[in-house]
Amino acid sequence: EVQLLESGGGVVQPGGSLRLSCGASGFTFSNYAMSWVRQTPGKGLEWVSDIRGSGVSTYHADSVEGRFTISRDDSKNTLYLQMNSLRAEDTAVYYCAKFTGYSSRGGGFDYWGQGTLVTVSS
Amino acid sequence: QSALTQPASVSGSPGQSITISCTGTSSDVAAYNYVSWYQQHPGKAPKLMIYDVSNRPSGVSNRFSGSKSGNTASLTISGLQAEDEADYYCSSYTYRSTQVFGTGTKVTVL
């Protein structure tokens, strides 16, 4: 059974940093692209970042470019999101999601974690 | 990258069919057959319903179908059921090798 479990969320002051983790099980982690998607409470989904299988390529939304970095450790079956220079508008539930294939070109997000809440507030 | 445009809400009676549109641009929806659709119930994570415009993952009811014409993709739910009441989001691959979600549509079963 595929499972994704996020951790690392919490309350942080504007300008601060946080690192999210997503532990994966039930599939060969290195073979699949992974992504972070966020959702502001009561609002829509926003794609944040993705990383191809084995970490060969990474992509970030313009809204987080230069501040957030996605990475993966295939030996630990874990996905990360390092978030720096956090802003109030980064407040959201952050989901870890698995793609259907090695690349995010095609397919979709077929498994999602339960989400972890990040609150940026002074 | 601007969000894809979806109607804020769509409603229908049980047994009816409804269609949700998802309008993008020549840089995303029109350029690739890589549109997916997600269902999200309150307090839950999204669920993949359609991928690559019209393909259903195993376990998803055949009452859900997808299509695309030009820069607009569509999700049709036939034989509407109470359990279909949820938020629905489209997503597309883009020319920058990124993803973009739609604005979301709340489906109400009357």
Side-chain angles (χ1 to χ4, degrees):
Chain A
E1 178 191 6
V2 172
Q3 290 192 335
L4 299 171
L5 186 61
E6 302 97 337
S7 60
V11 180
V12 61
Q13 291 189 340
S17 297
L18 213 54
R19 189 177 82 156
L20 305 183
S21 300
C22 172
S25 61
F27 63 102
T28 305
F29 184 69
S30 61
N31 286 355
Y32 294 90
M34 298 293 296
S35 189
W36 289 98
V37 176
R38 68 185 181 184
Q39 185 169 34
T40 305
K43 295 195 177 177
L45 300 171
E46 180 186 11
W47 172 82
V48 174
S49 305
D50 73 51
I51 185 167
R52 303 302 155 86
S54 300
V56 292
S57 303
T58 63
Y59 302 88
H60 297 84
D62 289 345
S63 58
V64 307
E65 186 72 58
R67 300 188 300 122
F68 290 12
T69 302
I70 190 172
S71 62
R72 63 193 297 161
D73 185 335
D74 290 345
S75 69
K76 296 182 178 179
N77 289 348
T78 302
L79 177 73
Y80 301 101
L81 184 67
Q82 178 65 45
M83 303 186 296
N84 299 330
S85 302
L86 282 160
R87 306 167 180 167
E89 54 264 35
D90 295 319
T91 295
V93 172
Y94 285 73
Y95 292 101
C96 161
K98 170 189 169 294
F99 270 102
T100 48
Y102 185 85
S103 164
S104 59
R105 182 186 172 98
F109 304 99
D110 58 351
Y111 289 94
W112 297 66
Q114 84 292 346
T116 186
L117 178 62
V118 171
T119 302
V120 184
S121 174
S122 55
Chain B
Q1 182 76 48
S2 298
L4 307 176
T5 301
Q6 298 180 233
S9 63
V10 173
S11 62
S13 300
Q16 286 187 328
S17 293
I18 61 169
T19 296
I20 303 167
S21 61
C22 169
T23 302
T25 69
S26 58
S27 299
D28 39 62
V29 175
Y32 307 98
N33 288 323
Y34 300 145
V35 175
S36 51
W37 288 90
Y38 302 86
Q39 176 192 65
Q40 187 180 33
H41 287 109
K44 300 293 187 182
K47 175 186 177 183
L48 178 65
M49 305 302 285
I50 295 287
Y51 67 94
D52 293 351
V53 175
S54 60
N55 294 302
R56 271 188 314 276
S58 63
V60 172
S61 170
N62 60 8
R63 298 185 298 103
F64 292 84
S65 62
S67 62
K68 191 189 86 167
S69 177
N71 66 345
T72 299
S74 300
L75 174 72
T76 297
I77 308 175
S78 58
L80 199 61
Q81 299 180 0
E83 67 208 50
D84 300 332
E85 186 161 295
D87 293 326
Y88 290 83
Y89 295 90
C90 61
S91 179
S92 175
Y93 184 77
T94 82
Y95 79 104
R96 295 172 63 190
S97 301
T98 60
Q99 305 287 327
V100 60
F101 280 98
T103 50
T105 298
K106 181 177 179 61
V107 169
T108 301
V109 181
L110 302 172

